[in-house]
Each structure stands twice: as C-alpha cells, then as structure tokens.
Amino acid sequence: MARNIQSLERAAAMLRLLAGGERRLGLSDIASSLDLAKGTAHGILRTLQAEGFVEQDEASGRYQLGAELLRLGTTYLDVHELRARALVWTDDLARSSGESVHLGVLHQQGVLIVHHVFRPDDSRQVLEIGAMQPLHCTALGKVLSAYDPVAHSEALESDRKPFTDRTVCELEEFEQLLDVTRARGYAADVEETWEGVASIAAPIHDRRRMPVGAVGITGAVERLCRSDEEGALRPELIAAVRDCARAVSRDLGAGRF
C-alpha cells in the first residue's frame, strides 16, 4: 500500500481546521490544534498562503481560507452543474446526429472532457471523460478560445503544434479563425487534429452570460461533411449542435441567445 505524504496530510488538516472555524486562527492556535511545532505549522501556512489557499490578516496576523480555494470549489460545482444540466440534451444530440458527443471545459491550457456520450451504434468506443484536447485545433478548443478571454490568452501563449497538414498554427490565421467562430456561433475542425475526423462545437453560457464550456459532435469526415463540397459541414448537424448548446445555456439560466 502506498504511503501517504505527511506534509500533504498536515496541509489538508490545516485547511479543514480553518474551514471549520467561525473566526481567524493564529499560528499558536493552529499549531496547538494539530499538535505541530510552530515552525512546522508556519512553513505549511506560508506555502498555502503563496498558493492563495490561505490568507493572513495584516493587522492581527491571523489566518483564514484564501480566495483560490473558493475559486477551485466554485469551479468544481460549476462543472458538475454543467454536466447535470447537459445530460438530457447531449443524449438527444447523439441520437439526432448519430455521432459521439463531447462536453468540454477549459483546464490547464487545454480542453478537459467532462462528459462523453457514445455514438449510438454497435461500434466499439472508448470513454474519453478526463481526456485533454488542445485549444488551437479542436472544435471545442476553438470555441472556448473564441468566447473565453482566459482560454484565448492561453491558446496564444501555448505551443500551437501541428497535428496534421491542416492544423492552423500561425497566430494571424488562428485569430482569423476565432473571428469566424464568433461571427457564426460555432467552430469546426475538419482533419485539423485527426486524419479522417471532423467535429463541430458551440459555446455554452451561464446565467451571467459567461462562457462555461462547449459541446460538440465528432465523427468521420464523410458523415459530418457534405459530399458536394469539400470540407463543408452538413448544415443540419451545425444546427443540431447549436440548438443543444442553446438548450443547455437556457437550463443554466442564460436566457435566449
């Protein structure tokens, strides 16, 4: 059995202690409550403070939970609310489109897949929840980069490496793609990330009308694209993805877009 890391256990205990109190706690209070030497407790507090998980009141020198911990907790709740609100609509999208559906959010300079509905056929498929996709070339990533200022900055700062001959890596051309995405309300990826694969994605907004994620379908190019025009996506699939994104946004309180 793997051994627990003592410093992490102590930090976790410290955060629980601060979360359970109704007032700020001093160094002596924290050290005494956790049976730690003052020097050890101070070192852990300094690390937590540097990461934003703990804040120290300048006047009293006492400690309380920091804003970064609150932000992480809110993000966790937002993602789970997003998944819960999207379950019915993503199932409907998979049935109507005949393709697999992915729900993604911004995470560590990429797109984290938080929900995946299999393509409704008998083919063997791999569950992709927890997988990461790049921002600059996937449909989900381009949607987030177009609508979320933080995602946009991270996409510009990241290494936009080519995955296929169609991957757009140059900054000016990438910015033009984001302009197009915002103008038409959805993003496309036709063999920019995987050969023979296309995807369509649209943004999801919350009650503050802030972008909180993206939903999209992924499938073979011959199924998602029109046969009469190379690289052109089927308009009924675009409409289905956009309708799904709007429905989830409405359920999150965004109103009509």
Side-chain angles (χ1 to χ4, degrees), residues 10-11 14 27-28 30-41 44:
R10 289 172 170 175
M14 200 169 286
L27 175 60
S28 296
I30 295 170
S32 176
S33 297
L34 300 178
D35 195 23
L36 296 174
K38 281 189 178 181
T40 301
I44 295 172

Side-chain angles (χ1 to χ4, degrees), residues 15-86:
L15 293 174
R16 292 191 187 98
L17 177 66
L18 291 171
E22 297 181 0
R23 58 186 174 85
R24 298 185 181 97
L25 296 176
L27 175 60
S28 296
D29 299 323
I30 295 170
S32 176
S33 297
L34 300 178
D35 195 23
L36 296 174
K38 281 189 178 181
T40 301
H42 187 243
I44 295 172
L45 284 167
R46 285 177 56 191
T47 301
L48 291 172
Q49 186 177 359
E51 295 298 326
F53 296 138
V54 164
E55 295 175 357
Q56 185 179 29
D57 181 68
E58 292 184 4
S60 66
R62 292 176 175 269
Y63 296 89
Q64 64 183 17
L65 293 180
E68 179 65 13
L69 197 64
L70 177 62
R71 186 190 70 81
L72 289 176
T74 302
T75 301
Y76 174 82
L77 292 175
D78 285 348
V79 167
H80 281 264
E81 182 183 5
L82 175 61
R83 283 190 72 250
R85 299 289 185 178

Side-chain angles (χ1 to χ4, degrees), residues 107-142:
H107 181 68
Q108 294 181 350
Q109 295 189 319
V111 183
L112 174 66
I113 303 302
V114 296
H115 185 54
H116 176 199
V117 183
F118 283 161
R119 186 172 62 254
D121 59 21
D122 296 328
S123 62
R124 184 171 182 175
Q125 300 172 63
V126 177
L127 188 65
E128 296 180 25
I129 293 175
M132 292 290 293
Q133 294 186 3
L135 286 169
H136 70 288
C137 56
T138 61
L140 292 172
K142 283 188 276 188

Side-chain angles (χ1 to χ4, degrees), residues 2-236:
R3 296 177 61 186
N4 293 337
I5 300 175
Q6 187 179 55
S7 59
L8 293 180
E9 289 182 329
R10 289 172 170 175
M14 200 169 286
L15 293 174
R16 292 191 187 98
L17 177 66
L18 291 171
E22 297 181 0
R23 58 186 174 85
R24 298 185 181 97
L25 296 176
L27 175 60
S28 296
D29 299 323
I30 295 170
S32 176
S33 297
L34 300 178
D35 195 23
L36 296 174
K38 281 189 178 181
T40 301
H42 187 243
I44 295 172
L45 284 167
R46 285 177 56 191
T47 301
L48 291 172
Q49 186 177 359
E51 295 298 326
F53 296 138
V54 164
E55 295 175 357
Q56 185 179 29
D57 181 68
E58 292 184 4
S60 66
R62 292 176 175 269
Y63 296 89
Q64 64 183 17
L65 293 180
E68 179 65 13
L69 197 64
L70 177 62
R71 186 190 70 81
L72 289 176
T74 302
T75 301
Y76 174 82
L77 292 175
D78 285 348
V79 167
H80 281 264
E81 182 183 5
L82 175 61
R83 283 190 72 250
R85 299 289 185 178
L87 288 175
V88 172
W89 300 112
T90 50
D91 283 349
D92 287 347
L93 178 58
R95 282 193 295 268
S96 65
S97 67
E99 302 296 343
S100 62
V101 178
H102 295 87
L103 187 69
V105 298
L106 176 66
H107 181 68
Q108 294 181 350
Q109 295 189 319
V111 183
L112 174 66
I113 303 302
V114 296
H115 185 54
H116 176 199
V117 183
F118 283 161
R119 186 172 62 254
D121 59 21
D122 296 328
S123 62
R124 184 171 182 175
Q125 300 172 63
V126 177
L127 188 65
E128 296 180 25
I129 293 175
M132 292 290 293
Q133 294 186 3
L135 286 169
H136 70 288
C137 56
T138 61
L140 292 172
K142 283 188 276 188
V143 161
L144 293 174
S145 300
Y147 287 90
D148 185 337
V150 176
H152 181 234
S153 297
E154 293 189 354
L156 298 188
E157 295 170 2
S158 65
D159 179 19
R160 296 182 301 277
K161 66 178 183 178
F163 288 85
T164 72
D165 292 340
R166 294 174 178 261
T167 306
V168 173
C169 301
E170 295 300 322
L171 178 58
E172 184 175 351
E173 191 176 357
F174 178 65
E175 290 281 32
Q176 290 173 354
L177 278 178
L178 299 187
D179 288 340
V180 171
T181 297
R182 285 185 285 266
R184 64 190 184 184
Y186 71 92
D189 165 13
V190 181
E191 297 189 287
E192 293 178 45
T193 311
W194 302 282
E195 296 283 354
V197 176
S199 58
I200 307 165
I204 296 172
H205 298 81
D206 66 5
R207 62 185 59 88
R208 300 162 297 173
R209 299 214 166 191
M210 297 294 291
V212 293
V215 63
I217 60 173
T218 301
V221 169
E222 58 266 25
R223 295 197 306 267
L224 267 65
C225 293
R226 294 164 50 178
S227 59
D228 61 339
E229 186 177 348
E230 184 179 358
L233 295 162
R234 290 166 52 192
E236 68 272 20

